[in-house]
Amino acid sequence: EAGVTQFPSHSVIEKGQTVTLRCDPISGHDNLYWYRRVMGKEIKFLLHFVKESKQDESGMPNNRFLAERTGGTYSTLKVQPAELEDSGVYFCASSNTGDSPLHFGNGTRLTVT
Amino acid sequence: AQSVTQLDSHVSVSEGTPVLLRCNYSSSYSPSLFWYVQHPNKGLQLLLKYTSAATLVKGINGFEAEFKKSETSFHLTKPSAHMSDAAEYFCVVSVNTGFQKLVFGTGTRLLVSP
């Protein structure tokens, strides 16, 4: 089966610009998660979808971040406007049920200059 | 609140020697604990998972971890390192909310020399 796919693998943007990250979960996985690792820090939870519904978005850092999962398939994470501290690696993961192991994508490395 | 502490940011071993990556956890109840590995430019891969069924957990690629409640530890071990084990390893605890809201440690980079 195809794994979790993330696009792009790398993105370099200037401060103030907008960037949209995309995640395609494993087919049939209702649970989709976003995590991120900013430079020098640990990986942190951002939010969790079940199908198209946000179950927990307590990790979203501020209102410059918007995650969507229209139709319950792929998800996008938009950062607008991007700030320097948003640089890091953004991981997407999916799972079949709520407590089954996560399958992670390779991540999107975002650099804000 | 649940948390994990990885005691070493880097560990260097020679190929064929044992590996020990240390992790201590903090949890107000019996935790779900994991070890994940990330190879360069790859996603995070689950090595093993502890969920109270057995204190010694065997994972993939010859790794295992032992849950010690008295020491609040969940150290990862492997009897003999291989060059392909060079990667970053994360000790992780799950917040018990019915889904995988994971709290990661800061990671330990394992270096394996010939």
Side-chain angles (χ1 to χ4, degrees), chain A residues 33 35 37 42-43 45 48 56 58 91 98-102 104-106, chain B residues 36 38 41-44 46 49 88 90 98-102 104-106:
Chain A
Y33 303 79
Y35 285 81
R37 188 181 196 187
E42 63 270 26
I43 300 169
F45 169 85
H48 168 224
D56 183 343
S58 60
F91 293 101
D99 60 358
S100 53
L102 298 189
F104 280 85
N106 289 349
Chain B
Y36 278 84
Q38 185 184 19
N41 300 314
K42 298 291 186 183
L44 294 151
L46 179 65
K49 174 182 179 180
E88 190 164 18
F90 297 91
F99 65 94
Q100 299 291 305
K101 186 173 184 177
L102 305 179
F104 284 76
T106 50

Side-chain angles (χ1 to χ4, degrees), chain B residues 71-83:
Chain B
E71 299 176 10
T72 61
S73 68
F74 189 58
H75 301 335
L76 182 70
T77 60
K78 183 174 180 177
S80 176
H82 191 273
M83 294 297 290

Side-chain angles (χ1 to χ4, degrees), chain A residues 48-103:
Chain A
H48 168 224
F49 286 97
V50 176
K51 298 184 180 179
E52 67 276 8
S53 299
K54 293 176 185 175
Q55 295 298 298
D56 183 343
E57 53 183 326
S58 60
M60 295 287 266
N62 51 62
N63 59 10
R64 295 186 293 103
F65 289 76
L66 175 64
E68 294 180 319
R69 194 183 182 196
T70 307
T73 54
Y74 71 91
S75 174
T76 58
L77 180 64
K78 180 190 287 188
V79 185
Q80 179 182 28
E83 298 289 344
L84 298 178
E85 64 264 25
D86 301 331
S87 295
V89 181
Y90 290 76
F91 293 101
C92 176
S94 71
S95 68
N96 186 14
T97 62
D99 60 358
S100 53
L102 298 189
H103 298 260

